[in-house]
C-alpha cells in the first residue's frame, strides 16, 4: 500500500471521532479524556490528542494512532484496519500497479456530483438559487461552508458531466443521481433546485436533498436509499456537529435542512436534522455515541404529531434523555433565527438568540411534554379515552425507572393514586402485549384473579425492608430501586410503598380484597429473618438491605451478560454491545 494513502486517511479522519465510537470522551484543555477501553478503571486516565492524532493511557500504558486503535479494539491486522479506515475516509487504496480502484466507488461519484452542483451555484445558471439564498439570509460563504449547490433546469447537465468524467450510466443510476425514463432514456433526478449534500459521519457525501425555489412541484425531493445511503441511519450535519455534541453534552435535533443550518450559523453547532419525523433506533444510537441528552425541536403544529411522539419515545427508550423545545408563536428554528442571522442590528440579533436560548432552558422532559399535549383531551369526557391511550401508549415503551420521577404529576393528571397509576400502566402494557403475536410469558404469581404465584425471595425481601424501615424509604431513590426489580407487579408494590404510608396501603389493599402485596411482604419478612439468623450473620457484616441490593444487582448484571454473550455468539452484537460485555464481565469479576 502507498504511504500517501495512509497519510491521506489520517488527514481525513479525526482520531477523536474514531475513538469516540468506543469511548465517551470529554474535552480537557487541548485533549479529550475518557475511561480506558483496554482495562477496567473508574477514574479516566485515557487521553486523546487531536493535534498529534494519537492516544495514550496513563493507567495501562497503551497508545498509538487510529490504525493501532482499530487493530486493538476490533482484533484486526494492519491490512484489515487499513481497508476499514480507507472505506470510512473515502480513500481508494492504490494497488501495486499504481492505479486507483475507481469502478464501484460510489463515494467518488457523489463527490463529483457535489462539486458540480457547487460550481453551478456560482455560475450564471445558479442565479435563481443565489436569489433564494439571499431571501433566506444565506451568504456565499455559508454556501461554501455547507457545500450548497444548484441543479440547473437542464434535463441532463449532470449526466453529461459524469459521463465526461468517466462515470458509467450504471454507476450514476446506482448512486441515485439519474432516473431511467419510461422509454429507456436517462435524465437528471434533480433539476432547478437548491442542493443540500447529505454526508455520513465520516464526512463523505452519500445523498442529496433538493429544494424547489420557483414554480410548481414537490417542495423537496431526496436521493433514494441505496448501497451507501439509508435515511434511518443518517442525521444531517452530524459530521459537523459530533465534536460540539460531545463538548456541550447535548444534541439539538430538528426536522429540516434549513433549521439545522440556521442553528449552526447562529452559534448552536450541536444541531442535526433527522431527514423526516420518523425517528429510528439507528439514529438514537448515533446520537448516544456523543451524548446522553437530546433536545428535540420539532414543529408543534405539524400533522402527524402522534407519530413524532412515538419517534421521541424510541430515543428515550434507548437511553437518551429527551427534552422537548417549544418555540414561541409556533415558529420553527429557521423562522425564529433568520432575522438574527441576517440582521445588522446587534440588539435585534441578540433578542432572537436569547429567545431560542430561553426556549432551551424551558425545554420539558418528554414525559411531561406528552402530558401537556394531552391535558386538553383529559379534561373532556368525550376525548379523555383518546388522551389516556396516547399517553399510556408512549409510557409503556419506557422502563419504569424512567417514569418514576414523574409519577406524581402523571397520577394527578389522571386522577389516580400513584400505585393505581402503576396498575393502569401495567394493564396497558399487557394489552399491548396481547395485541402483538408474542410467545406467552411465564406466569409470575397469583394475583387477585387466582393465578399461581412464584414469589421471588430477593424481590420480596426488598419490598419487606422498605415496608419495615421508614428511614430507608426516605433515603433511597425510586429509580434505583425499580431498576433492580424484574417483576412488573413487584415494581408496582415497591413504588406504592415509597409513595404512601404502610398503614394507608394495607387498609386499601384489604378493602380491595388484594392480598398479593401482603403475601409478597410476608415472604420477604421470612427471608430477611433468615438473613438475620446466626448462620448468615456470621458470614457477612453487611446490613440486610446491602445484601439484598447487591444480590439483585448481581443477578441483573449476570442476566445482561448472558444476553450480550448470546448476541456475540449469534454474530449480532454491535461494537457498543461488545464494549458493554467486556465492562460487565470485568465488574462482575471484581466483585467476586
Amino acid at each position: 500500500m502507498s504511504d500517501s494513502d495512509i497519510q491521506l486517511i489520517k488527514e481525513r479522519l479525526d482520531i477523536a471521532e474514531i475513538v469516540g465510537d468506543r469511548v465517551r470522551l470529554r474535552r480537557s484543555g487541548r485533549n479529550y479524556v475518557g475511561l480506558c477501553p483496554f482495562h477496567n478503571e473508574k477514574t479516566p486516565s485515557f487521553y486523546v490528542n487531536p493535534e498529534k492524532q494519537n492516544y495514550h493511557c496513563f493507567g495501562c500504558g497503551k497508545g498509538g494512532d487510529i490504525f493501532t486503535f482499530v487493530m486493538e479494539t476490533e482484533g484486526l491486522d494492519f491490512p484489515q484496519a487499513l481497508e476499514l479506515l480507507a472505506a470510512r475516509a473515502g480513500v481508494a487504496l492504490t494497488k501495486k500497479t499504481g492505479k486507483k480502484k475507481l469502478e464501484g466507488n460510489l463515494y467518488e461519484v457523489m463527490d463529483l456530483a457535489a462539486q458540480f452542483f457547487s460550481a453551478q451555484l456560482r455560475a450564471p445558471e445558479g442565479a435563481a438559487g443565489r436569489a433564494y439564498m439571499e431571501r433566506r439570509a444565506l451568504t456565499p460563504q455559508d454556501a461554501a461552508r455547507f457545500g450548497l449547490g444548484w441543479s440547473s433546469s437542464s434535463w441532463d447537465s449532470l449526466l453529461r458531466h459524469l459521463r465526461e468524467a468517466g462515470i458509467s450510466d450504471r454507476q450514476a443510476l446506482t448512486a441515485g443521481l439519474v432516473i431511467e425514463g419510461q422509454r429507456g432514456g436517462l435524465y437528471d433526478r434533480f433539476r432547478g433546485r437548491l442542493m443540500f449534500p447529505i454526508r455520513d459521519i465520516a464526512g463523505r457525501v452519500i445523498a442529496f436533498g433538493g429544494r424547489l425555489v420557483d414554480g410548481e412541484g414537490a417542495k423537496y425531493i431526496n436521493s433514494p436509499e441505496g448501497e451507501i445511503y439509508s435515511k434511518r441511519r443518517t442525521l444531517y450535519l452530524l459530521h459537523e456537529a459530533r465534536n460540539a455534541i460531545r463538548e456541550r453534552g447535548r444534541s439539538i435535533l430538528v426536522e429540516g435542512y434549513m433549521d439545522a443550518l440556521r442553528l449552526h450559523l447562529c452559534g448552536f453547532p450541536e444541531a442535526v436534522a433527522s431527514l423526516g419525523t420518523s425517528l429510528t433506533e439507528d439514529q438514537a444510537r448515533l446520537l448516544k455515541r456523543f451524548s446522553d441528552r437530546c433536545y428535540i425541536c420539532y414543529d408543534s403544529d405539524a400533522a402527524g404529531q402522534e407519530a413524532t411522539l412515538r419517534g421521541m419515545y424510541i430515543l428515550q427508550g434507548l437511553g437518551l434523555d429527551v427534552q422537548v423545545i417549544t418555540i414561541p408563536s409556533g415558529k420553527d428554528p429557521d423562522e425564529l433565527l433568520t432575522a438574527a442571522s441576517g440582521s445588522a442590528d446587534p440588539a435585534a440579533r441578540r433578542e432572537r438568540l436569547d429567545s431560542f436560548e430561553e426556549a432551551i432552558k424551558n425545554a420539558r422532559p418528554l414525559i411531561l411534554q406528552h402530558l401537556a399535549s394531552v391535558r386538553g383531551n383529559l379534561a373532556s369526557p368525550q376525548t379523555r379515552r383518546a388522551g389516556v391511550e396516547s399517553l399510556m401508549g408512549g409510557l409503556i415503551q419506557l422502563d419504569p425507572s424512567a417514569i418514576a420521577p414523574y409519577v406524581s404529576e402523571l397520577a394527578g393528571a389522571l386522577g389516580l393514586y400513584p400505585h393505581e397509576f402503576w396498575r393502569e400502566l401495567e394493564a396497558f402494557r399487557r394489552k399491548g402485549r396481547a395485541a402483538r403475536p408474542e410467545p406467552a410469558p411465564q406466569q409470575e404469581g397469583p394475583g387477585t384473579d387466582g393465578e399461581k404465584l412464584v414469589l421471588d425471595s430477593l424481590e420480596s425481601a426488598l419490598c419487606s425492608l422498605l415496608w419495615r424501615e421508614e428511614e430507608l424509604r426516605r433515603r433511597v431513590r425510586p429509580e434505583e430501586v425499580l431498576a433492580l426489580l424484574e417483576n412488573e407487579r413487584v415494581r408496582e408494590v415497591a413504588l406504592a410503598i415509597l409513595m404512601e404510608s404502610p398503614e394507608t396501603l394495607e387498609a386499601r389493599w384489604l378493602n380491595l380484597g388484594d392480598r398479593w402485596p401482603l403475601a409478597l411482604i410476608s415472604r420477604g419478612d421470612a427471608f430477611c429473618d433468615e438473613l438475620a439468623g446466626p448462620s448468615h450473620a456470621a458470614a457477612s457484616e453487611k446490613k440486610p438491605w446491602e445484601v439484598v441490593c447487591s444480590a439483585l444487582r448481581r443477578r441483573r448484571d449476570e442476566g445482561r451478560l448472558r444476553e450480550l454473550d448470546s448476541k456475540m455468539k449469534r454474530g449480532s452484537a454491535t461494537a457498543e454491545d461488545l464494549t458493554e460485555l467486556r465492562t460487565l464481565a470485568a465488574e462482575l469479576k471484581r466483585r467476586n
Side-chain angles (χ1 to χ4, degrees), residues 62-199:
K62 289 196 173 184
D65 59 10
I66 54 172
F67 296 100
T68 313
F69 186 81
V70 170
M71 290 164 65
E72 289 277 0
T73 55
E74 302 291 344
L76 305 177
D77 58 23
F78 179 73
Q80 292 171 322
L82 185 63
E83 289 278 356
L84 185 72
L85 291 171
R88 184 160 180 169
V91 173
L93 295 174
T94 306
K95 292 183 176 181
K96 292 182 179 178
T97 60
K99 295 180 180 179
K100 295 281 184 178
K101 298 191 295 182
L102 288 175
E103 182 66 15
N105 192 331
L106 295 181
Y107 297 109
E108 286 198 4
V109 177
M110 300 301 282
D111 192 52
L112 276 171
Q115 293 177 37
F116 177 75
F117 291 141
S118 181
Q120 289 281 294
L121 181 63
R122 298 189 298 270
E125 293 88 344
R130 295 194 299 274
Y132 175 79
M133 285 175 49
E134 187 174 353
R135 294 196 299 271
R136 301 299 296 268
L138 292 174
T139 67
Q141 291 76 24
D142 298 335
R145 174 181 171 184
F146 295 104
L148 304 186
W150 176 255
S151 58
S152 74
S153 298
S154 166
W155 284 86
D156 64 351
S157 60
L158 175 61
L159 176 61
R160 286 186 279 109
H161 178 75
L162 294 177
R163 284 171 173 171
E164 290 170 5
I167 303 302
S168 68
D169 289 355
R170 182 186 61 78
Q171 283 181 294
L173 274 167
T174 304
L177 296 171
V178 300
I179 299 174
E180 188 170 7
Q182 293 181 350
R183 298 181 180 178
L186 297 178
Y187 60 92
D188 292 351
R189 177 181 296 275
F190 302 99
R191 302 181 308 282
R193 293 175 179 271
L194 185 69
M195 300 300 293
F196 296 83
I198 300 168
R199 300 176 184 270

Side-chain angles (χ1 to χ4, degrees), residues 441-460:
Q442 291 183 334
Q443 291 184 335
E444 295 183 336
T448 56
D449 51 0
E451 334 139 331
K452 289 190 179 178
L453 176 60
V454 178
L455 290 169
D456 180 86
S457 297
L458 288 169
E459 294 195 350
S460 301

